[in-house]
Amino acid sequence: MDVKRKAESVIKKCGTSNPFEIARRLHMHIQYGPLGGVKYANYLRYKRTQIIIIDSDVAPSHMLPFVLAHEIGHALCTPDANTTWMASYTFGNDAKAERIANTFAVELLLNDTYLREHADFGLHELARMCGVPDEYVQLKSQY
């Protein structure tokens, strides 16, 4: 799967790279509540309803765009990967699905158009402004 192309496609379809607006336009339900402090958020699908639960006790507010973009990445790029089950029963061996979701979040928030429009800033500086953790900046494909 071309994750960058998927991010570009959703930006074009929704007319924005704002993950909160994308979730709204794609009819994804966002809930806030405690998840036990294990994860910042979780994506799940029940029948045809897509739900993203953000741990209001743990997720840092400056990272909410990245956290939500990551969960949207699961919804759009790995919808059949039951990451909760994999984390519980395979000792966290869900690295591929997590990498795809992280890459999607980075490509969504640091899309090429955004980088061109803010060319006077460095990539890491823009990442901090968008809530992208430093350790994920390297997932940005060359632009």
Side-chain angles (χ1 to χ4, degrees), residues 82-101:
N82 187 340
T83 55
T84 302
W85 182 88
M86 287 190 291
S88 298
Y89 295 101
T90 63
F91 303 105
N93 192 11
D94 55 350
K96 183 176 180 181
E98 292 304 313
R99 183 175 177 84
I100 289 170

Side-chain angles (χ1 to χ4, degrees), residues 13-86:
K13 177 180 179 178
C14 295
T16 183
S17 62
N18 179 321
F20 292 92
E21 185 62 24
I22 289 169
R24 186 185 71 74
R25 291 185 185 183
L26 296 179
H27 308 288
M28 295 178 181
H29 300 275
I30 302 172
Q31 301 292 319
Y32 296 86
L35 291 173
V38 179
K39 304 171 78 167
Y40 287 150
N42 195 29
Y43 164 76
L44 58 103
R45 183 178 62 210
Y46 178 71
K47 297 187 180 180
R48 290 189 287 169
T49 303
Q50 295 178 313
I51 304 166
I52 295 171
I53 304 168
I54 297 175
D55 191 326
S56 53
D57 295 337
V58 177
S61 60
H62 73 279
M63 281 183 56
L64 287 179
F66 179 80
V67 169
L68 183 56
H70 172 96
E71 297 305 326
I72 292 171
H74 280 304
L76 300 179
C77 300
T78 62
D80 297 322
N82 187 340
T83 55
T84 302
W85 182 88
M86 287 190 291

Side-chain angles (χ1 to χ4, degrees), residues 2 108 137:
D2 187 339
L108 183 73
V137 174

